[in-house]
Amino acid sequence: MTARAMVEGPSGRGDLAFVLAGGGARAAYQVGVLAGIAELFPELEIQVVTGVSAGAVNAAHLVSHIGSFRSATEELVELWRSLTVDRVFEADTRSLARSALRWGAQLFSGGTGATPIGQSLVDTAPLRRYLSATLGAAPDRPIPGIAENLRSGRLKAAAIITTSYSTGETVVWVQGRDVQGWTRSRRRGVKTELSVEHIMASAALPLFFPSVRIGDAWYGDGGIRLAAPLSPALHLGASRILAISTRFEPAAVEASRPGIQIEGYPPPAQVLGVLLNSIFLDLIDQDALRLERVNRLLGSLPEERREGMRVVDLLVLRPSFDLGRLAGEFEPRLPRAFRFMTRGLGTRETASPDLLAMLMFQPDYLEELIEIGRTDLLARREEISAFLS
């Protein structure tokens, strides 16, 4: 999808922004897209990078890497290739059983407070350790490399998006040069030094992953109430935005076929998959449509009546293949205890187990997504080259 939109503010100098959406394990697709771009533009400089949920992991790596864009993407590919389920969360029988028992005890406690609160279905301490090691920073310390890239001028701003469980607001944590915070309806930007804890908070899938304390408040996945995923990049001065979604858009004929996803009553996995897609993956499309409509409206006005609004070019990239459907092919290779739990939710009763795809940190599945992303990007090399040149 491409669009040109008018947004408020000065025209700037053509700042390029990458907007990296969420999607759990499906964010490996973004890595393949980035690798394809690096083949075409190995020395590309991206002034603004925003990330939400699993896209925050990719964003943090890009903005903290000291070196060329190509070397940054090569390291990012290796990072995802080495991921396994047990490097993201505790997937052994004992850990999963302990979480299930804690949730069950809390459910039947009647709110007496006699049992400890079940914080999540899985423990993501392994991911915190893995990110700390790969980014070279203790969880609560600034990620090195970001400040250096800001000082050198290679980077203008980086943003990690979270949701405050205290206020229900979308909170955008920003580190950048000459940037200020902002406040809008149900969302605000806060200037800070980004850390692993900001990434962990942004990727804290509700109920499945534990929320994260930053300061005096608790934060979770940034996609929960993110009604305008392109807005942080616009606030930070982008004049060109390349957004990478992990959501496959089926053809209208295929989407309307009865029984294409399930037969019979929908299992919990199907309901949860639709719910999580609507929260985390559909919003870029909606925001892009809004930009396109505003563009058509303002394009009908003479320039002197546009009241200082600037033109923003937008390109949205998405998978050419249903990544959820693909996840079902790799499901038998998951750790036994985790596979048992997901099958209990009905992941084998749906043709496109989107819930499973978010949690499928299986090396061969991730490798397949990386290759799909790279192939999709190179298939559109002329369009991409025209946009980035």
Side-chain angles (χ1 to χ4, degrees):
M1 177 184 294
T2 57
R4 301 193 80 198
M6 309 293 182
V7 296
E8 189 174 355
S11 60
R13 295 175 296 173
D15 287 342
L16 171 65
F18 276 17
V19 173
L20 304 180
R26 282 183 283 192
Y29 173 83
Q30 290 176 349
V31 177
V33 171
L34 293 170
I37 295 174
E39 290 186 32
L40 302 178
F41 295 90
E43 301 298 328
L44 180 68
E45 292 190 359
I46 312 160
Q47 288 75 43
V48 177
V49 181
T50 74
V52 61
S53 194
V57 175
N58 296 334
H61 183 85
L62 289 181
V63 299
S64 63
H65 182 81
I66 303 298
S68 68
F69 177 61
R70 182 161 195 164
S71 65
T73 59
E74 288 174 348
E75 286 191 11
L76 189 57
V77 167
E78 291 307 312
L79 184 155
W80 277 86
R81 281 176 173 164
S82 63
L83 268 184
T84 57
V85 170
D86 57 6
R87 278 187 167 176
V88 179
F89 52 81
E90 300 286 356
D92 59 281
T93 302
R94 178 178 296 181
S95 297
L96 294 175
R98 184 169 56 245
S99 296
L101 289 173
R102 185 180 294 118
W103 278 92
Q106 184 177 342
L107 180 64
F108 291 102
S109 69
T112 61
T115 58
I117 296 176
Q119 295 185 350
S120 60
L121 289 176
V122 297
D123 181 359
T124 55
L127 178 61
R128 180 178 276 105
R129 292 192 295 267
Y130 189 61
L131 291 177
S132 294
T134 56
L135 294 174
D140 59 347
R141 303 299 299 166
I143 299 172
I146 299 179
E148 174 61 27
N149 285 328
L150 290 170
R151 281 194 296 269
S152 69
R154 296 181 65 246
L155 177 70
K156 179 179 179 181
I160 301 296
I161 305 166
T162 64
T163 300
S164 169
Y165 285 134
S166 302
T167 65
E169 295 177 302
T170 293
V171 179
V172 183
W173 304 93
V174 182
Q175 184 173 352
R177 291 182 284 113
D178 304 321
V179 299
Q180 302 295 327
W182 64 84
T183 300
R184 296 292 186 271
S185 176
R186 310 305 301 170
R187 65 183 190 270
R188 57 191 173 94
V190 178
K191 192 172 181 179
T192 190
E193 289 184 301
L194 296 174
S195 70
V196 170
E197 293 300 272
H198 294 103
I199 304 172
M200 292 296 298
S202 183
L205 194 66
L207 299 181
F208 285 91
F209 294 176
S211 55
V212 176
R213 187 168 186 168
I214 301 176
D216 296 328
W218 292 89
Y219 296 86
D221 199 300
I224 296 175
R225 300 196 69 172
L226 185 59
L230 303 178
S231 64
L234 298 176
H235 279 293
L236 296 172
S239 295
R240 293 176 294 155
I241 298 176
L242 190 150
I244 308 176
S245 173
T246 59
R247 175 68 186 273
F248 169 69
E249 188 68 29
V253 174
E254 180 183 0
S256 62
R257 285 171 53 194
I260 187 65
Q261 301 293 347
I262 58 171
E263 293 183 4
Y265 192 83
Q270 179 71 15
V271 176
L272 287 171
V274 172
L275 176 63
L276 293 175
N277 279 345
S278 68
I279 294 174
F280 302 121
L281 301 182
D282 293 345
L283 297 175
I284 278 186
D285 299 333
Q286 298 170 14
D287 212 10
L289 286 173
R290 282 194 292 267
L291 287 176
E292 192 173 11
R293 289 168 181 168
V294 170
N295 175 67
R296 288 199 301 266
L297 174 63
L298 296 182
S300 64
L301 298 175
E303 189 170 352
E304 62 273 13
R305 295 184 58 191
R306 292 175 182 171
E307 300 182 357
M309 293 187 174
R310 72 177 186 271
V311 175
V312 173
D313 291 324
L314 171 67
L315 177 62
V316 179
L317 303 178
R318 67 179 67 258
S320 61
F321 191 84
D322 187 343
L323 306 183
R325 187 183 298 270
L326 181 65
E329 300 178 14
F330 294 87
E331 186 264 358
R333 304 169 199 176
L334 285 169
R336 180 178 297 177
F338 182 65
R339 186 174 69 237
F340 181 82
M341 182 184 73
T342 57
R343 286 182 179 181
L345 294 173
T347 53
R348 302 193 77 186
E349 300 167 32
T350 171
S352 182
D354 290 319
L355 173 64
L356 185 63
M358 289 193 173
L359 303 172
M360 179 66 77
F361 294 97
Q362 185 71 14
D364 43 7
Y365 176 66
L366 300 178
E367 180 69 35
E368 186 74 12
L369 298 196
I370 291 171
E371 185 56 33
I372 292 173
R374 177 182 172 277
T375 301
D376 283 356
L377 187 285
L378 295 179
R380 300 175 64 179
R381 67 172 66 230
E382 293 183 4
E383 182 182 7
I384 299 298
S385 296
F387 184 83
L388 295 179
S389 296

